[in-house]
Amino acid sequence: MAKTTIEVKETNARHALLVISIVALMSFLGVLTETSMNVTFPTLMHDFNVSLTTVQWVTSGYLLAAALIMLSSAYMKRRFTNRQLFVTAALLFIIGDLMCAMAPVFWVLLAGRLVQAGCVGLCSPLMVNIILDTVPTSKLGTYMGVANGSYAVITDKNSLCDN
Protein backbone atom coordinates (compact mmCIF):
# COMPACT_ATOMS: atom_id res chain seq x y z
CA MET A 1 0.00 0.00 0.00
CA ALA A 2 1.40 3.41 -0.96
CA LYS A 3 2.05 5.99 1.73
CA THR A 4 0.13 9.23 1.64
CA THR A 5 1.91 12.55 1.28
CA ILE A 6 1.26 13.35 4.94
CA GLU A 7 2.80 10.04 6.08
CA VAL A 8 5.88 10.65 3.94
CA LYS A 9 6.28 14.18 5.33
CA GLU A 10 5.94 12.92 8.92
CA THR A 11 8.56 10.22 8.29
CA ASN A 12 10.91 12.76 6.68
CA ALA A 13 10.39 15.18 9.59
CA ARG A 14 11.28 12.47 12.16
CA HIS A 15 14.33 11.48 10.11
CA ALA A 16 15.38 15.12 9.74
CA LEU A 17 15.06 15.67 13.49
CA LEU A 18 17.33 12.70 14.19
CA VAL A 19 19.95 13.84 11.67
CA ILE A 20 19.82 17.44 12.89
CA SER A 21 20.19 16.23 16.49
CA ILE A 22 23.27 14.18 15.63
CA VAL A 23 24.90 17.02 13.69
CA ALA A 24 24.04 19.44 16.50
CA LEU A 25 25.65 17.04 18.98
CA MET A 26 28.81 16.89 16.86
CA SER A 27 28.88 20.69 16.67
CA PHE A 28 28.29 20.88 20.41
CA LEU A 29 31.19 18.51 21.11
CA GLY A 30 33.41 20.51 18.78
CA VAL A 31 32.58 23.78 20.51
CA LEU A 32 33.00 22.11 23.90
CA THR A 33 36.49 20.87 23.07
CA GLU A 34 37.31 24.24 21.52
CA THR A 35 36.39 26.26 24.58
CA SER A 36 37.62 23.85 27.22
CA MET A 37 41.18 23.56 25.88
CA ASN A 38 42.36 26.72 27.66
CA VAL A 39 42.28 25.04 31.06
CA THR A 40 44.67 22.34 29.81
CA PHE A 41 47.44 24.78 28.89
CA PRO A 42 49.51 24.35 32.08
CA THR A 43 49.35 20.55 31.80
CA LEU A 44 50.21 20.62 28.10
CA MET A 45 53.11 22.99 28.75
CA HIS A 46 54.48 20.63 31.38
CA ASP A 47 53.84 17.34 29.55
CA PHE A 48 55.20 18.47 26.18
CA ASN A 49 57.78 20.91 27.56
CA VAL A 50 56.59 23.83 25.42
CA SER A 51 56.05 27.53 26.15
CA LEU A 52 52.71 29.26 26.58
CA THR A 53 53.03 30.99 23.20
CA THR A 54 53.52 27.59 21.56
CA VAL A 55 50.69 25.84 23.39
CA GLN A 56 48.26 28.64 22.49
CA TRP A 57 48.41 27.37 18.92
CA VAL A 58 46.23 24.46 20.07
CA THR A 59 43.30 26.87 20.35
CA SER A 60 44.35 29.48 17.78
CA GLY A 61 45.06 26.89 15.09
CA TYR A 62 41.80 25.11 15.84
CA LEU A 63 39.76 28.30 15.46
CA LEU A 64 41.63 29.33 12.32
CA ALA A 65 41.18 25.94 10.66
CA ALA A 66 37.48 25.76 11.60
CA ALA A 67 36.88 29.27 10.24
CA LEU A 68 38.65 28.52 6.96
CA ILE A 69 36.59 25.38 6.44
CA MET A 70 33.38 27.26 7.30
CA LEU A 71 34.25 29.85 4.66
CA SER A 72 34.36 27.12 2.04
CA SER A 73 31.01 25.61 3.09
CA ALA A 74 29.04 27.15 0.21
CA TYR A 75 31.39 25.52 -2.29
CA MET A 76 31.26 22.19 -0.44
CA LYS A 77 27.44 22.33 -0.32
CA ARG A 78 27.34 22.59 -4.11
CA ARG A 79 30.05 19.96 -4.64
CA PHE A 80 29.07 17.25 -2.12
CA THR A 81 25.91 15.80 -0.61
CA ASN A 82 24.93 16.38 3.01
CA ARG A 83 25.60 12.70 3.69
CA GLN A 84 29.15 12.93 2.30
CA LEU A 85 29.85 16.02 4.37
CA PHE A 86 28.42 14.39 7.51
CA VAL A 87 30.51 11.22 7.11
CA THR A 88 33.62 13.31 6.46
CA ALA A 89 32.96 15.43 9.56
CA ALA A 90 32.47 12.34 11.73
CA LEU A 91 35.66 10.75 10.39
CA LEU A 92 37.63 13.96 10.95
CA PHE A 93 36.46 14.12 14.55
CA ILE A 94 37.36 10.47 15.23
CA ILE A 95 40.75 10.67 13.51
CA GLY A 96 41.55 13.95 15.27
CA ASP A 97 40.57 12.49 18.64
CA LEU A 98 42.79 9.46 18.08
CA MET A 99 45.71 11.63 17.00
CA CYS A 100 45.36 13.80 20.10
CA ALA A 101 44.96 10.84 22.45
CA MET A 102 48.10 9.14 21.15
CA ALA A 103 50.23 12.25 20.56
CA PRO A 104 53.83 11.54 21.60
CA VAL A 105 54.93 15.12 20.84
CA PHE A 106 53.23 18.50 20.79
CA TRP A 107 53.18 18.82 16.99
CA VAL A 108 51.15 15.61 16.64
CA LEU A 109 48.67 16.99 19.19
CA LEU A 110 48.44 20.23 17.23
CA ALA A 111 47.89 18.34 13.97
CA GLY A 112 45.16 16.30 15.66
CA ARG A 113 43.45 19.48 16.82
CA LEU A 114 43.56 20.88 13.29
CA VAL A 115 41.95 17.68 11.99
CA GLN A 116 39.27 17.97 14.71
CA ALA A 117 38.60 21.53 13.57
CA GLY A 118 37.50 20.08 10.25
CA CYS A 119 34.55 18.51 12.05
CA VAL A 120 33.35 21.80 13.52
CA GLY A 121 34.05 23.64 10.28
CA LEU A 122 31.82 21.19 8.43
CA CYS A 123 29.14 20.53 11.07
CA SER A 124 28.16 24.09 11.88
CA PRO A 125 27.10 25.05 8.35
CA LEU A 126 25.94 21.49 7.64
CA MET A 127 23.42 21.69 10.47
CA VAL A 128 21.90 24.81 8.94
CA ASN A 129 21.94 23.27 5.44
CA ILE A 130 20.13 20.15 6.62
CA ILE A 131 17.51 22.27 8.38
CA LEU A 132 16.97 24.41 5.28
CA ASP A 133 16.81 21.36 3.02
CA THR A 134 14.45 19.19 5.07
CA VAL A 135 12.30 21.24 7.43
CA PRO A 136 9.00 22.74 6.29
CA THR A 137 9.11 26.52 5.99
CA SER A 138 6.55 26.93 8.77
CA LYS A 139 8.92 25.25 11.27
CA LEU A 140 12.25 26.79 10.22
CA GLY A 141 12.41 29.24 13.12
CA THR A 142 11.83 26.53 15.71
CA TYR A 143 14.43 24.18 14.27
CA MET A 144 17.02 26.92 13.80
CA GLY A 145 16.47 28.18 17.34
CA VAL A 146 16.79 24.73 18.92
CA ALA A 147 19.79 23.73 16.80
CA ASN A 148 21.72 26.92 17.43
CA GLY A 149 20.80 26.89 21.11
CA SER A 150 23.53 24.29 21.64
CA TYR A 151 26.15 26.95 20.88
CA ALA A 152 24.63 29.42 23.31
CA VAL A 153 24.40 26.84 26.08
CA ILE A 154 28.00 25.63 25.84
CA THR A 155 29.47 29.09 25.35
CA ASP A 156 27.51 30.44 28.30
CA LYS A 157 28.36 27.43 30.48
CA ASN A 158 32.09 27.74 29.77
CA SER A 159 32.14 31.48 30.42
CA LEU A 160 30.47 30.89 33.79
CA CYS A 161 33.05 28.23 34.67
CA ASP A 162 35.92 30.64 33.93
CA ASN A 163 34.78 33.07 36.64
Side-chain angles (χ1 to χ4, degrees):
M1 191 174 223
K3 290 186 177 183
T4 65
T5 305
I6 293 172
E7 290 173 333
V8 170
K9 284 185 177 183
E10 287 176 1
T11 302
N12 287 345
R14 281 193 298 264
H15 183 258
L17 182 60
L18 175 65
V19 172
I20 292 165
S21 298
I22 292 169
V23 174
L25 177 65
M26 287 173 52
S27 295
F28 177 83
L29 290 173
V31 172
L32 178 66
T33 60
E34 166 195 323
T35 56
S36 63
M37 275 308 286
N38 293 338
V39 297
T40 65
F41 282 4
T43 304
L44 293 175
M45 289 167 53
H46 178 266
D47 290 352
F48 291 110
N49 196 25
V50 292
S51 67
L52 178 61
T53 55
T54 302
V55 85
Q56 284 176 332
W57 276 103
V58 170
T59 300
S60 300
Y62 185 91
L63 292 172
L64 181 61
L68 289 173
I69 292 170
M70 282 182 196
L71 287 173
S72 66
S73 67
Y75 167 76
M76 286 190 269
K77 171 70 175 143
R78 286 191 306 268
R79 177 76 175 84
F80 304 104
T81 65
N82 286 342
R83 178 172 292 190
Q84 289 171 320
L85 292 172
F86 173 77
V87 170
T88 301
L91 288 173
L92 287 172
F93 194 75
I94 291 167
I95 292 167
D97 274 354
L98 291 173
M99 288 175 69
C100 290
M102 297 185 290
V105 293
F106 177 76
W107 304 109
V108 175
L109 176 74
L110 182 59
R113 291 289 293 161
L114 296 177
V115 171
Q116 281 179 330
C119 172
V120 172
L122 288 174
C123 280
S124 300
L126 180 61
M127 180 174 55
V128 174
N129 288 336
I130 291 171
I131 291 170
L132 293 174
D133 289 347
T134 59
V135 173
T137 308
S138 62
K139 296 186 179 190
L140 276 179
T142 302
Y143 276 76
M144 293 291 261
V146 169
N148 288 309
S150 64
Y151 292 122
V153 169
I154 193 61
T155 304
D156 210 31
K157 185 83 168 159
N158 280 334
S159 66
L160 290 174
C161 292
D162 290 342
N163 293 329

